[in-house]
Amino acid sequence: MDTRRLIEALTGDGGDPGHRVSPARKLRLFSALSLRLAELAAELATEISSPTEAALFAHDVERTHRQAEIAQIRAAHTAQRTLVQDLPAENLEWARATAADPAAFIRGERALPPDPATVPTGIMPFKDTCDFLQHSLHLPRFAARNRLHAANALLPHADVHGNQCAPRYPKLAEQLHAGTACLGATAAAARNLDALAPAIAAQPAPHRLAERIEKRV
């Protein structure tokens, strides 16, 4: 079975559109593929002797790196949306330990612990999502803050009524997902546009002006 068919078999609907693959099963696949990707990159780095293969390898690694950056802000957005900072310490420790040694989880021998049935009370391990990203993932605070800002500016999101909304800066988001711009520069542009927002709002036809400025950026 080739890779495409393997992934489809593990994450598809099995020919039954009503069959939904659980996030836990997809997480097992994600963990397995991420480990295999690292192993495969190490093998290729020593086995490739063709300069053509080396060129393709370099391009593939660069694309993978950009996709991983987008995955990072998706993960930050998911952590924010699910209120990960409200998890009890034992769930947070399970996630940390499983990420560090995922073999048993990948084999299905280590089950996900249940989420808390009610909103926890008392002093929680983290005060907000940024605090979780900073201390649980060992990120500098500005990096954690920037990931959340990039996620909120460049990813689709739900409004207060639960309706799906486009990214705040759709043209920047389009370039990012197309791979024609890197995350760092795109996120910086989004922060600059946010800083300009009050001045733009004070101008005639602010929506059209904002679109023109975003396009220029």
Side-chain angles (χ1 to χ4, degrees), residues 28 103-111:
R28 288 192 179 96
F105 177 67
I106 291 171
R107 293 193 301 267
E109 298 170 358
R110 187 174 192 177

Side-chain angles (χ1 to χ4, degrees), residues 193-212:
L193 288 171
D194 276 353
L196 288 172
I200 293 172
Q203 302 300 314
H207 182 69
R208 288 199 295 271
L209 175 61
E211 287 183 342
R212 291 200 302 272

Side-chain angles (χ1 to χ4, degrees), residues 5 14 16 39 85 118 126 147 160 162 164 167 179 198 200-201 208 210:
R5 291 181 179 177
D16 178 8
E39 294 168 354
Q85 66 272 13
T118 59
F126 305 109
R147 278 192 195 181
V160 292
Q164 287 299 309
I200 293 172
R208 288 199 295 271

Side-chain angles (χ1 to χ4, degrees), residues 11-36:
T11 63
D13 57 21
D16 178 8
H19 173 69
R20 180 176 179 270
V21 178
S22 70
R25 186 176 178 184
K26 290 183 179 181
L27 273 171
R28 288 192 179 96
L29 177 62
F30 188 88
S31 295
L33 289 178
S34 65
L35 289 178
R36 181 55 185 142

Side-chain angles (χ1 to χ4, degrees), residues 5-183:
R5 291 181 179 177
L6 172 63
I7 293 173
E8 177 60 29
L10 292 173
T11 63
D13 57 21
D16 178 8
H19 173 69
R20 180 176 179 270
V21 178
S22 70
R25 186 176 178 184
K26 290 183 179 181
L27 273 171
R28 288 192 179 96
L29 177 62
F30 188 88
S31 295
L33 289 178
S34 65
L35 289 178
R36 181 55 185 142
L37 182 63
E39 294 168 354
L40 193 58
E43 292 170 8
L44 286 169
T46 58
E47 294 173 0
I48 286 176
S49 58
S50 161
T52 304
E53 291 178 348
L56 177 58
F57 180 45
H59 280 288
D60 283 345
V61 168
E62 191 65 23
R63 185 189 67 249
T64 302
H65 172 68
R66 290 190 177 186
Q67 291 171 339
E69 286 187 320
I70 297 174
Q72 285 177 329
I73 66 171
R74 290 188 188 279
H77 186 260
T78 303
Q80 184 181 57
R81 176 175 55 80
T82 58
L83 303 178
V84 71
Q85 66 272 13
D86 289 345
L87 275 177
E90 55 266 28
N91 290 59
L92 292 165
E93 174 56 25
W94 180 93
R96 185 205 62 76
T98 301
D101 183 11
F105 177 67
I106 291 171
R107 293 193 301 267
E109 298 170 358
R110 187 174 192 177
L112 283 155
D115 290 327
T118 59
V119 178
T121 59
I123 299 176
M124 303 304 296
F126 305 109
K127 63 181 181 181
D128 54 25
T129 310
C130 187
D131 199 40
F132 163 78
L133 296 175
Q134 179 184 357
H135 293 100
S136 190
L137 303 186
H138 307 292
L139 298 176
R141 183 162 184 81
F142 77 89
R145 187 179 63 246
N146 287 348
R147 278 192 195 181
L148 285 172
H149 183 273
N152 292 323
L154 302 170
L155 295 179
H157 59 279
D159 63 16
V160 292
H161 304 293
N163 301 313
Q164 287 299 309
C165 302
R168 188 157 70 244
Y169 300 114
K171 292 189 180 299
L172 293 181
E174 181 181 350
Q175 289 186 338
L176 179 66
H177 292 289
T180 57
C182 66
L183 176 60

